[in-house]
């Protein structure tokens, strides 16, 4: 699971697991990551995580949000990205990097916690672990392009998460989840349209035959259970 490492002046303050779809960052107490500093806006930024991808959004903060020294409004987070909010920094680390760091720590010979080996005697009863539940099936989703040079062509979305759009113009993702199919705005001044109406910053539940417009390209969705 990806995580954020909060630090200030090189001192690590906190580690935050990205175990929720939306992690809010700001000075107010209701935020998931509360930073009580006047340089931080009440509702400063948010990190939205969909499956293995995380997206950072500045919530029109007073002093802005930087990633690797560059101001952003929306940004697709990459491994080891450094988010800067005033004097505070948040380092984004993917699960693979965390595992590598733990392996490197073990290589140094520094003791790390290991679960004790289980034994049982005649007085103990071994209770079998229940099998892991089968993953819930995802809907079948296909798009048919209605405009643009490839108008009329159809494409089935085989991935759980598909990124669509044009960098610097507008980017959105269509996510296939057990709960349904969702559209989320990632980058761009304007939000995508669904059936002629702009969505907001939250994940939007799509339905069969919805017409979605991303970066000026309209497409019709076919969604089957």
């Amino acid at each position: 699971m990806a995580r954020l490492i909060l630090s200030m002046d090189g001192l690590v303050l906190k580690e935050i697991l990205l175990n929720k779809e939306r992690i809010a960052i700001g000075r107010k107490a209701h935020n998931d990551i509360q930073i009580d500093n006047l340089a931080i806006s009440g509702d400063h930024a948010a990190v939205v995580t969909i499956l293995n991808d995380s997206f950072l959004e500045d919530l029109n903060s007073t002093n802005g949000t930087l990633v690797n020294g560059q101001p952003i409004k929306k940004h697709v987070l990459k491994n080891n990205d450094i988010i800067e909010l005033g004097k505070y920094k948040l380092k984004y680390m993917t699960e693979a990097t965390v595992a590598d760091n733990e392996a490197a720590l073990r290589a140094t010979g520094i003791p790390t916690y290991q679960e004790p080996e289980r034994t049982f005697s005649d007085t103990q009863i071994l209770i079998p672990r229940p099998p892991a539940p089968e993953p819930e099936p995802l809907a079948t989703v296909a798009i048919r392009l209605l405009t643009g040079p490839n108008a009329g062509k159809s494409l089935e979305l085989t991935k759980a998460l598909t990124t669509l759009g044009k960098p610097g113009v507008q980017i959105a993702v269509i996510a296939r989840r057990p709960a349904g199919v969702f559209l989320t705005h990632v980058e761009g001044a304007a939000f995508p349209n669904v059936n002629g109406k702009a969505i907001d910053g939250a994940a939007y539940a799509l339905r069969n035959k919805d017409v979605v417009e991303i970066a000026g390209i309209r497409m019709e969705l076919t969604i089957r259970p």
Side-chain angles (χ1 to χ4, degrees):
M1 181 179 298
R3 61 197 67 194
L4 296 171
I5 309 298
L6 176 66
S7 65
M8 185 181 71
D9 296 331
L11 177 66
V12 174
L13 304 176
K14 191 175 183 181
E15 180 177 297
I16 305 98
L17 293 177
L18 299 182
N19 54 5
K20 295 171 56 179
E21 181 175 302
R22 189 176 190 274
I23 299 288
I25 307 168
R27 193 177 69 253
K28 293 181 180 178
H30 64 256
N31 287 282
D32 301 289
I33 303 176
Q34 184 189 11
I35 302 176
D36 190 9
N37 186 284
L38 291 178
I40 310 300
S41 296
D43 297 295
H44 196 104
V47 176
V48 176
T49 300
I50 304 174
L51 300 176
N52 295 324
D53 294 279
S54 296
F55 311 93
L56 173 68
E57 178 182 6
D58 180 80
L59 302 178
N60 296 317
S61 64
T62 301
N63 295 316
T65 301
L66 304 181
V67 176
N68 304 326
Q70 299 298 318
I72 62 95
K73 286 297 182 183
K74 283 182 177 286
H75 176 80
V76 181
L77 287 169
K78 300 178 181 62
N79 189 36
N80 291 324
D81 272 353
I82 302 295
I83 304 166
E84 298 178 53
L85 305 94
K87 294 183 179 180
Y88 292 83
K89 294 184 178 181
L90 286 159
K91 184 175 183 179
Y92 175 73
M93 298 177 66
T94 62
E95 186 173 6
T97 301
V98 173
D100 290 343
N101 288 348
E102 291 175 350
L105 182 62
R106 289 193 295 271
T108 65
I110 300 174
T112 57
Y113 173 79
Q114 292 183 346
E115 188 175 354
E117 185 176 339
R118 291 186 173 87
T119 60
F120 61 93
S121 64
D122 293 339
T123 60
Q124 292 176 313
I125 301 173
L126 187 64
I127 301 175
R129 180 180 296 178
E134 291 290 331
E136 296 184 49
L138 302 179
T140 299
V141 180
I143 59 174
R144 183 170 64 89
L145 299 177
L146 302 178
T147 59
N150 295 313
K153 291 187 177 180
S154 297
L155 174 68
E156 183 173 336
L157 305 185
T158 57
K159 297 181 179 180
L161 186 72
T162 302
T163 303
L164 299 170
K166 297 178 182 178
V169 178
Q170 189 179 73
I171 295 177
V173 293
I174 295 178
R176 299 163 58 231
R177 310 180 199 169
V181 181
F182 297 86
L183 175 68
T184 303
H185 175 69
V186 175
E187 179 181 309
F191 291 99
N193 288 342
V194 178
N195 300 325
K197 295 183 179 180
I199 67 171
D200 56 21
Y204 183 93
L206 294 169
R207 298 181 179 180
N208 187 39
K209 299 303 179 182
D210 274 350
V211 174
V212 176
E213 182 176 343
I214 302 171
I217 301 296
R218 295 173 63 240
M219 61 199 77
E220 183 185 63
L221 272 70
T222 299
I223 301 174
R224 298 188 301 273

